[in-house]
């Protein structure tokens, strides 16, 4: 059905009653893939989610330790949408649903977690649900504009004109209600009798919202079995903030994720996230505990050529040549030409897929992911990453691209700009440097690369099913 009126939602969901869902016919306004999901045994559906959401206010101090208390403030009617991607054959569903808090920094819904992890989601039988939890995704008003990205009501007024978001003070409960809908209506939403496991996921500003959710809302609403927090910065928005800009301003104070969480959290941090000026994660670093693993990944940027170019066409059957071209270093970004090439590190999405797999295993079996070394800092101030003699970061999760490099891969941009700062940089080594590192040339490089890849797989930071593709990409990318 097409959304034409909220009359049904109004009559069906009085305050205090559970939310209601209805299917919406046709493809949703959300960029997921450039290939047909049916070709890999998946389908995409869209559903209206409506009801009455609660806004919360702090009850007591919101301290650095993340042990926040919250209580209901008021309620408001809402109607938003869920995008559901699931196996066509229900018997292939592995029982876990990844529920992504869609990112709205661009003033439109985007799905970076889907972008980084969809290969693992598809091959391992996960379901994925994207939640339009924030007002900017529906009505617009992000931090920056990207060509071709529009809020739902502008992208398709007829389809989405009746959606109603009362403001981001209500976003936490809307996200909770999305999870409750999955629990309550698995057959309608997923075509299965039950969803065994729900993992909440979010990247960048959505990771900041998830940090607040973990600290203040999860103790009240235990609806998720685990959290994948990807590329959070140091702070967390307050409960009452209703705009993207205000959430940014309130996130300047470094905040830990509470240590008494009853469910696992995997916290994935790139070099950009750690070291970004004023907003970086560094002052919010905290030790791992029995419910927290933080993976700081060397050579990675907040976003890179994979998620911006390769991800949409990466079906698992795309040609190696096409994949390598899409991930190649480039100065071109969304119609802009930057003064340096953005980060082209393949390890980001490969380690992200390992992170998802490790978190799901932790949630479903109790086997915790490996503890990872942190990125190493120089002893001086202001804080800066320690670099090796090739200019690459020391410490953190290692990959063959860092231990057997052909270029400098950094989360820090060549030029400072609001957009470019998120995309890091790539700088190819001169022939003399390659000759010093690999005196016997290509064969020497590949032997060392395979050894480093085996070490990363053995350590649990890259999945063994990605070995063949990674080796082939390395062989194709070695400078001729």
């Amino acid at each position: 059905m097409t959304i034409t009126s909220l009359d049904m939602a109004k009559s069906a969901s009085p305050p205090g009653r559970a939310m209601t869902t209805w299917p919406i016919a046709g493809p949703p306004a959300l960029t997921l893939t450039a290939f047909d999901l049916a070709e890999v045994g998946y389908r995409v559906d869209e559903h209206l989610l409506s009801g009455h959401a609660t806004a919360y206010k702090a009850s007591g101090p919101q301290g650095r330790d993340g042990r926040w208390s919250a209580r209901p403030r008021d309620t408001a009617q809402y109607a938003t949408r869920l995008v559901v991607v699931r196996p066509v054959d229900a018997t292939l569903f592995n029982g876990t649903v990844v529920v992504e808090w869609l990112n709205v920094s661009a003033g439109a819904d985007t799905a970076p977690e889907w972008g980084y992890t969809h290969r693992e989601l598809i091959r391992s039988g996960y379901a994925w649900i994207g939640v339009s939890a924030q007002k900017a995704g529906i009505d617009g008003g992000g931090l920056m504009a990207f060509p071709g990205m529009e809020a739902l009501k502008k992208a398709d007024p007829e389809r989405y004109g009746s959606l109603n978001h009362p403001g981001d003070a209500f976003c936490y409960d809307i996200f909770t209600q999305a999870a409750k809908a999955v629990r309550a209506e698995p057959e309608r939403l997923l075509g299965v009798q039950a969803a065994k496991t729900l993992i909440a996921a979010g990247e960048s500003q959505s990771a900041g919202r998830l940090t607040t959710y973990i600290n203040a809302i999860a103790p009240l609403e235990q609806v998720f079995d685990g959290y994948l927090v990807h590329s959070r910065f140091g702070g967390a928005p307050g409960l009452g903030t209703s705009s993207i800009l205000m959430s940014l301003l309130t996130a300047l104070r470094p905040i830990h994720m509470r240590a008494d969480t009853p469910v696992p959290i995997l916290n994935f941090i790139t070099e950009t996230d750690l070291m970004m000026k004023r907003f970086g994660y560094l002052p919010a670093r905290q030790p791992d505990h029995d419910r927290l693993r933080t993976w700081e990944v060397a050579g990675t940027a907040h976003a890179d050529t994979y998620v911006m170019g390769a991800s949409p066409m990466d079906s698992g059957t795309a040609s190696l040549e096409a994949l390598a071209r899409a991930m190649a270093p480039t100065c071109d970004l969304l119609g802009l030409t930057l003064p340096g090439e953005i980060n082209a590190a393949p390890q980001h999405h490969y380690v992200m897929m390992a992170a998802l797999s490790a978190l799901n295993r932790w949630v479903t079996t109790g086997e915790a992911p490996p503890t990872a070394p942190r990125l190493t800092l120089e002893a001086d101030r202001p804080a800066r990453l320690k670099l090796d003699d090739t200019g690459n970061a020391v410490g953190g999760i290692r990959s063959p691209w860092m231990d057997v490099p052909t270029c400098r891969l950094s989360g820090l941009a060549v030029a400072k700009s609001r957009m470019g700062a998120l995309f890091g940089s790539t700088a190819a080594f001169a022939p003399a440097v390659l000759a010093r590192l690999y005196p016997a040339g290509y064969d020497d490089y590949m032997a060392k690369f395979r050894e480093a890849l085996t070490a990363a797989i053995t350590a649990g930071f890259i999945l063994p099913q990605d070995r063949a593709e990674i080796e082939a990409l390395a062989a194709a990318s070695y400078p001729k």
Side-chain angles (χ1 to χ4, degrees):
M1 60 178 283
T2 301
I3 302 175
T4 57
S5 172
L6 293 179
D7 290 343
M8 188 180 297
K10 291 177 182 177
S11 63
S13 300
R17 184 174 173 178
M19 63 285 130
T20 309
T21 65
W22 293 279
I24 308 169
L30 183 67
T31 300
L32 294 173
T33 66
F35 60 88
D36 186 353
L37 280 164
E39 295 176 359
V40 294
Y42 269 67
R43 59 179 288 172
V44 58
D45 301 293
E46 189 172 33
H47 295 262
L48 170 70
L49 175 71
S50 68
H52 282 77
T54 296
Y56 297 91
K57 65 179 180 180
S59 177
Q62 294 181 291
R64 179 187 176 90
D65 64 2
R67 293 175 182 252
W68 298 356
S69 296
R71 57 190 177 91
R73 189 184 72 195
D74 50 27
T75 62
Q77 186 186 72
Y78 77 93
T80 189
R81 62 83 180 257
L82 310 177
V83 178
V84 180
V85 183
R86 61 182 176 91
V88 173
D89 182 351
T91 64
L92 299 179
F93 175 48
N94 71 358
T96 297
V97 184
V98 174
V99 184
E100 178 169 356
W101 187 307
L102 294 176
N103 186 292
V104 296
S105 293
D109 283 342
T110 60
E113 296 298 80
W114 166 267
Y116 278 111
T117 66
H118 71 276
R119 284 278 303 279
E120 171 61 11
L121 292 167
I122 290 168
R123 70 189 173 194
S124 294
Y126 292 83
W128 173 92
I129 295 179
V131 183
S132 294
Q134 289 182 252
K135 185 176 179 63
I138 294 171
D139 296 313
L143 293 172
M144 58 188 77
F146 290 86
M149 296 184 185
E150 295 180 325
L152 293 176
K153 287 186 177 181
K154 187 173 182 181
D156 192 336
E158 181 179 356
R159 184 180 182 87
Y160 299 114
S162 294
L163 295 187
N164 170 41
H165 198 298
D168 281 357
F170 298 87
C171 66
Y172 304 105
D173 194 41
I174 290 173
F175 195 63
T176 294
Q177 291 194 31
K180 288 183 175 181
V182 178
R183 300 280 195 194
E185 302 182 355
E187 191 160 5
R188 181 197 289 265
L189 294 175
L190 301 170
V192 296
Q193 294 299 308
K196 296 179 182 178
T197 303
L198 265 60
I199 291 175
E203 192 261 359
S204 191
Q205 70 92 34
S206 300
R209 292 285 181 177
L210 278 186
T211 300
T212 299
Y213 189 95
I214 290 165
N215 287 347
I217 309 303
L220 305 175
E221 300 279 4
Q222 291 292 346
V223 293
F224 292 104
D225 301 295
Y227 295 90
L228 181 56
V229 181
H230 179 194
S231 282
R232 66 162 290 208
F233 296 118
L239 289 169
T241 55
S242 58
S243 71
I244 300 293
L245 179 59
M246 284 304 298
S247 70
L248 187 67
L249 294 175
T250 58
L252 289 171
R253 185 169 61 98
I255 298 295
H256 289 167
M257 288 184 284
R258 62 187 305 147
D260 60 348
T261 173
V263 301
I265 304 167
L266 199 149
N267 185 33
F268 187 108
I269 300 293
T270 71
E271 288 184 17
T272 314
D273 313 324
L274 186 70
M275 304 305 298
M276 179 167 279
K277 187 176 180 180
R278 297 184 67 201
F279 295 99
Y281 175 72
L282 182 60
R285 264 181 169 177
Q286 65 186 107
D288 282 355
H289 53 74
D290 63 350
R291 291 298 190 202
L292 174 68
R293 293 292 183 272
T294 296
W295 287 11
E296 296 179 2
V297 188
T300 53
H302 191 75
D304 50 37
T305 58
Y306 178 81
V307 78
M308 298 304 294
S311 174
M313 51 82 65
D314 188 10
S315 63
T317 59
S319 73
L320 183 69
E321 293 77 12
L323 194 60
R325 282 196 305 271
M327 283 193 288
T330 181
C331 295
D332 297 325
L333 178 65
L334 298 172
L336 300 177
T337 299
L338 301 180
E341 293 178 327
I342 67 173
N343 189 285
Q347 64 258 38
H348 192 155
H349 77 282
Y350 287 119
V351 179
M352 267 298 296
M353 291 192 289
L356 171 60
S357 178
L359 177 59
N360 189 51
R361 185 168 57 251
W362 193 6
V363 168
T364 57
T365 72
E367 179 186 347
T371 298
R374 303 299 174 93
L375 288 161
T376 305
L377 302 178
E378 294 285 6
D380 56 359
R381 290 288 185 270
R384 58 192 177 97
L385 291 173
K386 185 174 184 179
L387 306 179
D388 62 22
D389 61 0
T390 70
N392 283 315
V394 174
I397 288 179
R398 310 304 297 174
S399 73
W401 293 279
M402 296 303 286
D403 289 338
V404 189
T406 60
C407 57
R408 179 185 58 78
L409 291 166
S410 175
L412 306 181
V414 173
K416 305 301 181 185
S417 69
R418 187 166 62 171
M419 184 181 296
L422 299 176
F423 290 87
S425 56
T426 300
F429 291 161
V433 175
L434 290 174
R436 173 175 62 81
L437 294 173
Y438 315 111
Y442 169 83
D443 290 339
D444 189 11
Y445 166 74
M446 286 304 299
K448 292 175 178 176
F449 189 95
R450 291 188 183 101
E451 183 179 357
L453 176 57
T454 296
I457 291 172
T458 301
F461 300 127
I462 290 177
L463 296 173
Q465 50 266 50
D466 290 319
R467 179 192 292 272
E469 180 177 278
I470 289 172
E471 286 188 11
L473 284 171
S477 63
Y478 187 78
K480 301 298 191 288

